[in-house]
Amino acid sequence: MSSKTLKIGILEGDDIGHEVVPAAVEVAKTAARQHNLSIDWLPMPIGRRALDTHGSTMPEGTLETLSTLDGWILGPIGHRAYPKGPGAINPHPILRKHFNLFANVRPTRSYPDIGCLHDGVDLIIVRENNEGFQPDRNVVAGSGEFRPTEDVTISVRVITRAGSYRVAKAALELARHRRKHLTFVHKDTVFKLGCGMFVEECRRAAKEYPDVLVDDVIVDTFAMRLVRDPQSFDVVVTTNMFGDILSDEAAGLVGGLGMAPGLCIGEGNIAMAQATHGSAPDIAGQGIANPYAMIESTRMLFDWLGRARNVPEAVAAAAAMERATAQALLDPASRTGDIRGRGRTEDMTRAIIRGMEEKTRAVA
């Protein structure tokens, strides 16, 4: 067994979260067992079920418990459907602010025969997560949007040097371990102060990484190039709202949001696996949700924690999950319908687990 036991929380979220999170945990448990990775799993209530059973979508003590963990898996949150009243709050901004999860790492990768618009896509968009235009994150209390009259609404964007610099550093670290190419995306031709400050801090951080090729692209030009030649990008860093929009565009190139994983990372080597798709209440309970994004987000959590906390067994488990997932995606019988398959959630989960088990037997 590993000399270190990782403590990982399980928060299923809402709707299809109750299907894709258990699938991801099952795959992760298999990988951990095969690579002698010791994990304490801690299921925790969150979302609508927590509201019904505990009176709050974020029960008292949740943040305190999470602070004792190495990381956690968060399923999709369907906060738009929460009833009005005390306790029915959106957990997302609370988690991101409380744990200072400042970087949202969103990879995009193409696989054969699943409906990708381009082959050979392998890029990561790193989105600043805790400031920008998002009104629930850019002020310490209240909202960054207000309406002084019935006919006027004002939205405030917050950009800080510290926030820009640290997300640029996180992206540069990723680029250093990939193809050593970082692109920062902005609109300093219009937002001369806001995006201008972001660009200044990206360039300042880049001076510490002379081995990484750095360039920049205006956001509207980047949106076009992402459609035309996504293979020309490696790691991309940008502000909150730009990153939110562009990463969904990138997901559309490779099969949709079911193929869009994510990892939120913060200071102190803490991380949260969170797929970028919503809770999809229209298909919840049917067993047809694509578990790829949640499984891949969990794999990213293993890999990041393994490197950040020096647990090589976690890195090995993540590599095994990656290989088995790529193999499972080759078979239409294992893939879900959104990516040209005939399978169900369980079929993809079983195929990935089977792939890891077969690899272990072959090595033995």
Side-chain angles (χ1 to χ4, degrees), residues 2 28 54 66 78 108 141 173 204 242 263 308 323 329 351:
S2 168
H54 292 71
L66 289 175
T108 299
E173 284 291 335
R204 182 167 75 93
F242 290 167
L263 184 71
R323 289 190 297 267
L329 286 171

Side-chain angles (χ1 to χ4, degrees), residues 108-127:
T108 299
R109 181 182 303 170
S110 56
Y111 293 91
D113 303 322
I114 67 168
C116 298
L117 300 184
H118 293 276
D119 296 327
V121 179
D122 180 12
L123 63 89
I124 295 176
I125 294 176
V126 182
R127 166 196 177 196

Side-chain angles (χ1 to χ4, degrees), residues 335-346:
R335 302 196 301 255
T336 48
D338 60 310
I339 48 173
R340 298 184 176 179
R342 304 186 301 273
R344 298 169 62 82
T345 309
E346 184 178 357

Side-chain angles (χ1 to χ4, degrees), residues 2-291:
S2 168
S3 58
K4 177 176 175 55
T5 297
L6 294 177
K7 296 180 180 179
I8 298 179
I10 304 170
L11 299 91
E12 291 188 1
D14 298 310
D15 302 317
I16 64 168
H18 302 300
E19 301 166 61
V20 296
V21 171
V25 171
E26 192 175 1
V27 170
K29 285 182 176 179
T30 301
R33 187 168 55 250
Q34 292 179 341
H35 291 84
N36 297 319
L37 172 62
S38 176
I39 299 180
D40 282 344
W41 298 94
L42 182 63
M44 301 179 64
I46 199 169
R48 180 57 191 265
R49 286 188 181 178
L51 179 65
D52 294 341
T53 57
H54 292 71
S56 173
T57 55
M58 178 74 79
E60 186 177 352
T62 296
L63 296 177
E64 292 77 7
T65 301
L66 289 175
S67 68
T68 68
L69 307 180
D70 294 291
W72 58 89
I73 302 166
L74 176 65
I77 299 293
H79 63 90
R80 288 186 177 180
Y82 292 165
K84 293 186 182 300
I89 55 178
N90 179 5
H92 279 158
I94 297 172
L95 290 169
R96 288 169 176 167
K97 282 184 177 180
H98 184 84
F99 293 103
N100 200 12
L101 300 172
F102 63 87
N104 192 188
V105 181
R106 296 183 166 190
T108 299
R109 181 182 303 170
S110 56
Y111 293 91
D113 303 322
I114 67 168
C116 298
L117 300 184
H118 293 276
D119 296 327
V121 179
D122 180 12
L123 63 89
I124 295 176
I125 294 176
V126 182
R127 166 196 177 196
E128 199 291 319
N129 215 23
N130 278 349
E131 49 187 48
F133 265 126
Q134 271 71 352
D136 58 5
R137 300 173 214 174
N138 64 12
V139 293
V140 68
S143 174
E145 283 196 319
F146 56 98
R147 184 168 292 169
T149 75
E150 283 299 316
D151 300 313
V152 175
T153 298
I154 299 174
S155 298
V156 178
R157 181 168 77 147
V158 174
I159 300 291
T160 67
R161 290 198 182 278
S164 301
Y165 178 78
R166 70 186 177 190
V167 77
K169 284 270 292 184
L172 284 157
E173 284 291 335
L174 281 171
R176 171 171 276 175
H177 294 95
R178 283 172 50 90
R179 301 194 300 274
K180 301 184 186 304
H181 178 200
L182 176 73
T183 301
F184 47 93
V185 173
H186 59 91
K187 186 79 170 179
D188 71 353
T189 51
V190 175
F191 301 106
K192 296 183 182 297
L193 297 181
C195 280
M197 180 179 289
F198 178 76
V199 169
E200 288 168 8
E201 292 305 308
C202 286
R203 288 177 175 156
R204 182 167 75 93
K207 292 178 181 178
E208 303 172 36
Y209 295 81
D211 54 321
V212 176
L213 172 66
V214 175
D215 55 19
D216 67 295
V217 181
I218 300 297
V219 64
D220 39 346
T221 302
F222 181 84
M224 178 193 68
R225 287 187 55 191
L226 188 59
V227 174
R228 292 175 62 90
D229 61 326
Q231 302 92 335
S232 65
F233 298 108
D234 179 18
V235 178
V236 176
V237 65
T238 190
T239 53
N240 199 332
M241 182 171 284
F242 290 167
D244 195 18
I245 296 168
L246 292 171
S247 57
D248 278 10
E249 180 190 0
L253 300 177
V254 296
L257 287 175
M259 301 300 293
L263 184 71
C264 295
I265 59 177
E267 295 171 342
N269 288 343
I270 197 165
M272 175 177 74
Q274 181 190 24
T276 64
H277 58 68
S279 65
D282 56 322
I283 63 169
Q286 299 178 39
I288 60 174
N290 184 350

Side-chain angles (χ1 to χ4, degrees), residues 268-314:
N269 288 343
I270 197 165
M272 175 177 74
Q274 181 190 24
T276 64
H277 58 68
S279 65
D282 56 322
I283 63 169
Q286 299 178 39
I288 60 174
N290 184 350
Y292 170 86
M294 201 71 252
I295 292 170
E296 177 64 9
S297 299
T298 304
R299 184 205 69 78
M300 292 169 64
L301 177 65
F302 271 18
D303 187 70
W304 193 84
L305 287 176
R307 297 179 190 280
R309 299 182 182 272
N310 192 27
V311 184
E313 296 89 346

